[in-house]
Amino acid sequence: MFRKSLFRFSTYNFINVTQKGKVALIQFNRPKAMNALCDGLIKELNQVTQEIDANPEYGSIVITGNEKAFAAGADIKEMQDKSFPQVQNIQMLASWENLTNIKKPILAAVNGYALGGGFELAMMCDIIYAGENAKFGLPEITLGTIPGCGGTQRLIRAVGKSKAMEMTLTGEFIDAQTALSYGLVSKVVPVQNLVDEALKVAEKIASFSKPVAALIKDTINEAENIGLREGVKYERKAFYSTFATQDRKEGMSAFVEKRKPSWTDN
Ligand SMILES: C=C(C)C(=O)SCCNC(=O)CCNC(=O)[C@H](O)C(C)(C)COP(=O)(O)OP(=O)(O)OC[C@H]1O[C@@H](n2cnc3c(N)ncnc32)[C@H](O)[C@@H]1OP(=O)(O)O
């Protein structure tokens, strides 16, 4: 059934979606606009990620752009003439947050520019890998505005106040090595190897029990929403809930019996 859907996705205007084993690879496809994230692209991204999330064939997702740009932000040309009442009325950019409701782990593979909303979208993902040419920035101040997709909130959590202030108040970009030293990305790899490296790790993640991977993703992300005491309680509840799964039983039995576990996602 999903293969049919993938066929339908291939007719999408702004993204390409391909199946790589148990991983769905989503590639932004607006090369002439530096993959600026127009409304249509975000609609397609939300639709496809929700379908992938519901499809048991898939265990993880990789999102990427091209070698020049992951995404150069929200589409400035779409926003240019909007008024305050209009943006408030349509709750502009609010639907971008849907990505954070996806239960399956999402890796962002960033080559080139990840700016403004492009960077914010990468920060909504669970793991970021950077190509050697990656450039991250929140240049909204240079446009007379501020980040609107959680950038201020996620950046301070990722890198601390001084660096978050420096990046957002100057609008300057940082390179891949700096992003690595800030802890914003987990790994820097040669540009041509980036997507393969992300797919390899995504395939490994997809090989585990899906409900267990979803619990890990959820509990780590929840840490950004709540304090430590509440967070530890939240984690413990999630941990206990793995004892209601076959996969927890199988994983521990396999260890004791010195064999490979066989996951059933139950
Ligand atoms: C959530 C919010 C509020 C936001 O994201 S606001 C947007 C934040 N992002 C930005 O400010 C980055 C804007 N882009 C840039 O600064 C430059 O395009 C880059 C990425 C540095 C690349 O520079 P260059 O290599 O010189 O390419 P450049 O010619 O500027 O871009 C190529 C095309 O993409 C278009 N483009 C690039 N970024 C765009 C964007 N965010 N929105 C719309 N179009 C964009 C650009 O207008 C140009 O189109 P055209 O050929 O019709 O003139």
Side-chain angles (χ1 to χ4, degrees):
M1 177 190 145
F2 192 65
R3 287 184 196 286
K4 235 195 227 159
S5 304
L6 276 177
F7 178 71
R8 183 160 56 80
F9 295 140
S10 69
T11 65
Y12 271 32
N13 293 314
F14 306 113
I15 56 175
N16 290 324
V17 186
T18 40
Q19 180 172 6
K20 306 278 181 188
K22 291 181 184 168
V23 183
L25 174 64
I26 301 174
Q27 186 172 24
F28 300 141
N29 187 25
R30 288 191 81 199
K32 286 192 184 136
M34 294 276 166
N35 287 333
L37 302 163
C38 59
D39 284 347
L41 190 154
I42 294 296
K43 271 196 192 111
E44 291 180 2
L45 180 68
N46 282 336
Q47 187 176 336
V48 84
T49 47
Q50 279 161 26
E51 293 200 23
I52 293 163
D53 215 22
N55 189 313
E57 272 186 48
Y58 293 87
S60 60
I61 300 170
V62 171
I63 299 181
T64 196
N66 57 43
E67 291 193 0
K68 264 194 177 162
F70 176 76
D75 192 314
I76 299 167
K77 292 167 189 168
E78 276 183 356
M79 291 186 287
Q80 186 183 4
D81 296 323
K82 291 219 162 44
S83 67
F84 171 66
Q86 277 175 326
V87 299
Q88 206 183 33
N89 239 344
I90 60 170
Q91 287 287 292
M92 193 172 74
L93 309 185
S95 68
W96 290 42
E97 203 68 20
N98 291 359
L99 193 67
T100 62
N101 295 324
I102 299 301
K103 295 188 181 62
K104 290 178 181 165
I106 306 177
L107 289 82
V110 175
N111 270 325
Y113 295 107
L115 303 178
F119 183 24
E120 293 176 292
L121 204 73
M123 286 192 283
M124 288 180 209
C125 296
D126 303 305
I127 296 174
I128 309 178
Y129 289 162
E132 280 166 342
N133 70 347
K135 294 220 177 328
F136 299 88
L138 291 174
E140 283 85 347
I141 196 165
T142 68
L143 300 167
T145 187
I146 73 165
C149 297
T152 59
Q153 304 306 300
R154 291 195 175 90
L155 189 60
I156 187 173
R157 285 163 170 79
V159 304
K161 178 170 166 175
S162 180
K163 293 183 174 90
M165 285 288 186
E166 188 178 37
M167 287 182 76
T168 48
L169 290 173
T170 65
E172 281 174 12
F173 309 159
I174 57 167
D175 63 18
Q177 285 302 335
T178 307
L180 183 67
S181 74
Y182 282 10
L184 257 174
V185 308
S186 320
K187 205 182 276 187
V188 177
V189 291
V191 171
Q192 323 77 264
N193 301 351
L194 176 70
V195 174
D196 283 346
E197 181 64 22
L199 285 170
K200 195 174 80 187
V201 175
E203 189 64 44
K204 174 163 192 174
I205 292 169
S207 74
F208 294 115
S209 167
K210 292 189 195 73
V212 171
L215 273 173
I216 290 174
K217 168 171 170 151
D218 178 57
T219 47
I220 290 196
N221 283 328
E222 198 59 17
E224 304 212 312
N225 301 327
I226 53 185
L228 181 62
R229 194 188 302 263
E230 286 308 306
V232 170
K233 264 196 219 161
Y234 191 85
E235 182 200 75
R236 193 169 306 120
K237 274 190 197 159
F239 168 66
Y240 291 159
S241 76
T242 66
F243 284 70
T245 68
Q246 281 299 321
D247 282 340
R248 196 279 319 164
K249 208 169 182 172
E250 167 65 8
M252 293 191 180
S253 302
F255 176 81
V256 172
E257 291 160 19
K258 300 188 190 303
R259 60 176 173 82
K260 262 190 100 177
S262 168
W263 308 120
T264 57
D265 300 327
N266 288 305

